[in-house]
Amino acid sequence: MGESIYGLKRTHMCAELTVNDVGKTVTVMGWCHKSRNLGGLIFVTLRDRTGIIQVVFDNTVNSELFAKAEGIRGEYVLAVVGEVVKRSPEAINPKLPTGEIEIIAKELRILSTAESPPIYIEEDSDVNEATRLKYRYLDLRRPDMQRNLMLRHRVAKIARDYFDEHGFIEIETPMLTKSTPEGARDYLVPSRVHPGKFFALPQSPQLFKQLLMVAGFDRYMQIVKCFRDEDLRADRQPEFTQIDLEMSFVNVEDVLTINEGFIKRVFKEAINVDLEIPFIRMPYKEAMERFGTDKPDIRFGFELVNLSDLVENCGFKVFSDAVKNGGSVRAINAKGCGNKFSRKEIDALGEFVKTYGAKGMAWIVVGENEHKSPITKFFTEDEIKAVLTRMRAEPGDLICFIADKNEVVFDSLGQLRVEIARKLGLLDNKEFKFLWVTEFPLLEYDEEEKRYVAKHHPFTSPMDEDVELLDTDPLKVRAKAYDIVLNGTEIGGGSIRIHSQELQSKMFKLLGFSEKDAWDRFGFLLEAFKYGTPPHGGMAFGLDRLVMLMAGRNSIRDVIAFPKVQNSSCLMTNAPDEVEPKQLEELKIRVDLQN
């Protein structure tokens, strides 16, 4: 297994050894996980990335070797030569893959000593995250972290194999490119040889992969780093990794089908989970109406129900005014929660929805004959009956209402249903529920900028039957766009692209670009479209999020080797940092921190 180290060559990784190796003389190398001195015997558990093996030093067999082993401390790096033997029946450890065997040491080399580490090298350490990230190289020694990154490796390998088998060619696209601000902020890189000009790090390979379709490669894929200088968010990284792909001569169903095949294969081969395909297809409008979000978690119920028509003329002004002002009244039925949640817990749910813009939450605990609620006095018996019938309410249910503008109602109730599911323990991270959300709006209206903005990006094609609406009612135009959602988390998305220069120019005009702006920013794409562009589409998976969910973790930082923290800095290297004045001079850059 490679060149010798101090005259020794490793023959096996620690956890590769089995009872079939009993009687063999082996050489293993790794870190001392634990050392126990029982007087005449020293037991050392030796750890490498495959797992651990127990090594025994016996004073009666070799007192000189035993004396040397007495100096071993935690995290010392060791090389051990010894014979594999069966453990005595009472010493067998059924929790370990190597629990039936141990190594009787014949030779020991201490390759490196170690100070006591500032964090414990153990499964699921409860050390605070800042310390873990400062000493990330130690944190990464922990077996669960090593499993996460080995899972990431397997997912990446399966992706390459799968897409290669389906005719995709892996092509690298540039890391230094042109800034095309539309969406998140770019990371800029100053050019030394072009003073005053800047490259941008790519937010995605979007334009390059479209140009590869123009170039005739037909099917492209890449596992690629992307960069976005976004506002701070707890679980967002300034650099992230995509499994990126593009296909020519395809429609939406073609793209969804090939990617369902990938997801089915990667889950089976990487974590031995069988998935049923095809996944559910759900239009954006339906997702919003039923779940209040375009990233619905369908592991549980508590779906939204629109009650606006039943309460628009009721005596409860909060409800009736919301409907009259163009909003809506919607509710969820938290089945059985009327008997499970105290009044204090229900009030806490009311405070919870306020963080999503709601002014409060109305509620009814359904009873056999009487209902507990602060709002039923404003309704007639028939109105209450109609509401509870539509909600399919039964005694013991908790009905939670939000009345407001639609976006507030959707956001509040969409988050509330997940919060209730969390409280009830319904969010099983070993259950995997996928769906595709399709037919997104092509455009949104930005009130601050007073213009249309692309819901996904400016290169997304409108649905054929909606193209005419671009001239008359742009906000009603649906896009040939799709996101794949797993357990309430978007893990990928894409679209069929615009491949007509005329339609692309119209799209830029709708987004508020002058013809000059469009050509200055995207002229290379518009120029390429003159020379024969196939219909094409594609998508990208967020590798970090995908692996996080497959590993059952709650943070993408647990599946990235060296992540940044919330303010986009690295606690281990202290990046970003100041640079030498000479470097700034060469780049013709002056730093002004006064403004």
Side-chain angles (χ1 to χ4, degrees), residues 14-32:
C14 291
E16 289 177 348
L17 295 166
T18 69
V19 289
N20 295 326
D21 296 302
V22 168
K24 291 181 183 177
T25 296
V26 299
T27 303
V28 289
M29 299 180 183
W31 285 260
C32 170

Side-chain angles (χ1 to χ4, degrees), residues 15-71:
E16 289 177 348
L17 295 166
T18 69
V19 289
N20 295 326
D21 296 302
V22 168
K24 291 181 183 177
T25 296
V26 299
T27 303
V28 289
M29 299 180 183
W31 285 260
C32 170
H33 190 61
K34 287 182 182 176
S35 178
R36 293 176 294 141
N37 191 332
L38 303 185
L41 294 173
I42 294 174
F43 294 93
V44 170
T45 47
L46 194 68
R47 184 192 71 243
D48 64 18
R49 77 180 192 200
T50 64
I52 64 176
I53 185 75
Q54 180 165 279
V55 179
V56 182
F57 297 88
D58 188 336
N59 191 33
T60 62
V61 174
N62 188 327
S63 58
E64 186 179 339
L65 185 62
F66 183 88
K68 189 174 183 180
E70 285 186 304

Side-chain angles (χ1 to χ4, degrees), residues 399-424:
I399 313 298
C400 303
F401 304 82
I402 300 290
D404 214 308
K405 295 181 293 187
N406 280 331
E407 54 265 36
V408 172
V409 173
F410 285 143
D411 199 17
S412 301
L413 281 179
Q415 295 292 340
L416 180 63
R417 64 181 292 273
V418 176
E419 175 68 6
I420 292 173
R422 185 189 65 77
K423 286 179 175 292
L424 296 175

